[in-house]
Amino acid sequence: MKYSTVSQMFNRVTLDHKDRELYFSKIKGRWEGISGSKIRSIVKDLAFAFQSIEIEKGSNVALLSTNSPRWAMGDYGIVCSGAATVSVYPTLIASQVQYILNDSDSKVVMAENQEQLEKINQIWQDCPKLKYVIVLDESNESEDARIINFTDFLAMGSQFEKTSERTFDDLTNIAEPGDLLTLIYTSGTTGNPKGVMLTHGNMMSNVEGISQLISFDHTEIFLSFLPLSHSFERMGGHFTAFSLGSQVYYAENIDKVPDNLQEVKPSVVLSVPRLY
């Protein structure tokens, strides 16, 4: 099916694949899946939570994390609120993160863990637009009200939805094809990183182009290990896979890819020379 925006695609796919497990990650040595209905519920709560802190169309939210189902759902939560995702490589040092947050006017950061939160705490005073940090792994024990654990943020969204005049369908129709979907920062060759602006239409035209050239379908199994911070994995292993209702397994890390390949037996892997 052809979609004009990523948020509309997400809405349709999660309605069509409610019972199918779409995202998998390894937890305590076992691959565990998340169904389409659960993914939809989490993204809905995220979208309303962003609305509750005045993140809407025209706002930018940064994602500072390695690949995981929460990265993927965080991306959709941002996009379905009408905002745009600023993808930040988790290997960057604090001063590099500071530059990107300020250049992008990011108001919120979704940070993976204490390591990434520490970077933010080092630079927060020099990031005047930054208002909140959402900690994905629930490790925040600070009493700072600006730092919110992931499940607490979901609860904020669930509560806000009860008083909102909008439905989740309304939120997924906020974006238009020409609206900014994401800022992806690349080092380039000289000077500071440049924020590449990609619209919903840009990304969905790529997804459509792939479908015309390669006969992927919902039975595919993807193993995702390239950084979702980069456009290649984001477009191919994230948006394209999801648009099909395919299953995505998130590799434990780059060193574990050979083991994960044998365990998952994927039908599709996006790769680069580094792995070979």
Side-chain angles (χ1 to χ4, degrees):
M1 184 179 292
K2 192 171 184 178
Y3 304 100
S4 60
T5 68
V6 168
S7 47
Q8 289 173 358
M9 178 271 287
F10 176 86
N11 192 25
R12 185 71 259 161
V13 170
T14 52
L15 289 174
D16 290 346
H17 299 279
K18 293 180 180 178
D19 300 324
R20 181 172 170 79
E21 292 182 327
L22 300 175
Y23 289 154
F24 291 81
S25 59
K26 206 172 218 187
I27 300 173
K28 296 181 179 179
R30 296 182 57 186
W31 291 102
E32 297 191 10
I34 308 175
S35 69
S37 60
K38 182 64 175 177
I39 292 168
R40 181 183 179 86
S41 175
I42 290 172
V43 169
K44 174 172 65 69
D45 286 346
L46 285 171
F48 277 109
F50 284 123
Q51 293 270 310
S52 76
I53 57 174
E54 301 180 340
I55 297 297
E56 296 185 321
K57 189 170 183 174
S59 300
N60 293 332
V61 176
L63 254 173
L64 179 60
S65 172
T66 56
N67 293 11
S68 71
R70 286 191 173 181
W71 197 110
M73 292 185 290
D75 188 24
Y76 283 122
I78 295 165
V79 170
C80 289
S81 73
T85 301
V86 179
S87 58
V88 186
Y89 283 98
T91 53
L92 296 183
I93 62 174
S95 60
Q96 294 171 315
V97 174
Q98 177 187 328
Y99 174 81
I100 291 173
L101 296 183
N102 285 335
D103 188 68
S104 63
D105 290 335
S106 292
K107 297 179 180 179
V108 180
V109 177
M110 303 189 82
E112 179 178 10
N113 50 27
Q114 284 297 309
E115 178 186 356
Q116 304 300 344
L117 177 59
E118 178 56 31
K119 294 178 189 176
I120 302 301
N121 283 330
Q122 290 176 35
I123 61 174
W124 202 330
Q125 63 183 7
D126 298 313
C127 297
K129 297 288 183 66
L130 183 61
K131 304 301 180 185
Y132 297 95
V133 176
I134 314 305
V135 183
L136 297 182
D137 74 346
E138 313 284 342
S139 62
N140 175 54
E141 296 180 351
S142 165
E143 294 184 2
D144 189 334
R146 303 173 303 166
I147 305 174
I148 308 168
N149 280 322
F150 186 78
T151 53
D152 293 333
F153 194 57
L154 296 183
M156 288 170 56
S158 179
Q159 189 64 33
F160 186 77
E161 182 187 7
K162 295 175 183 177
T163 58
S164 175
E165 296 180 355
R166 289 169 161 170
T167 64
F168 184 58
D169 282 345
D170 292 334
L171 296 189
T172 61
N173 284 308
I174 291 174
E176 299 175 2
D179 288 343
L180 183 67
L181 169 74
T182 188
L183 282 169
I184 298 177
Y185 278 80
T186 175
S187 60
T189 54
T190 59
N192 289 318
K194 314 299 190 295
V196 178
M197 302 171 69
L198 297 177
T199 67
H200 283 259
N202 291 151
M203 195 64 74
M204 294 317 300
S205 69
N206 276 7
V207 171
E208 175 67 16
I210 289 174
S211 70
Q212 292 175 5
L213 293 172
I214 305 175
S215 299
F216 290 144
D217 62 31
H218 73 281
T219 65
E220 309 297 349
I221 297 174
F222 286 71
L223 180 67
S224 175
F225 66 88
L226 296 179
L228 284 166
S229 309
H230 191 277
S231 59
F232 181 50
E233 182 66 29
R234 183 105 162 274
M235 182 272 294
H238 178 44
F239 292 131
T240 298
F242 201 82
S243 72
L244 300 167
S246 300
Q247 295 179 319
V248 179
Y249 284 73
Y250 290 95
E252 295 172 85
N253 54 57
I254 188 70
D255 295 328
K256 285 283 190 177
V257 168
D259 293 335
N260 294 162
L261 281 168
Q262 295 180 69
E263 296 164 354
V264 172
K265 297 179 173 59
S267 59
V268 183
V269 174
L270 276 69
S271 191
V272 292
R274 178 187 175 190
L275 182 74
Y276 307 128

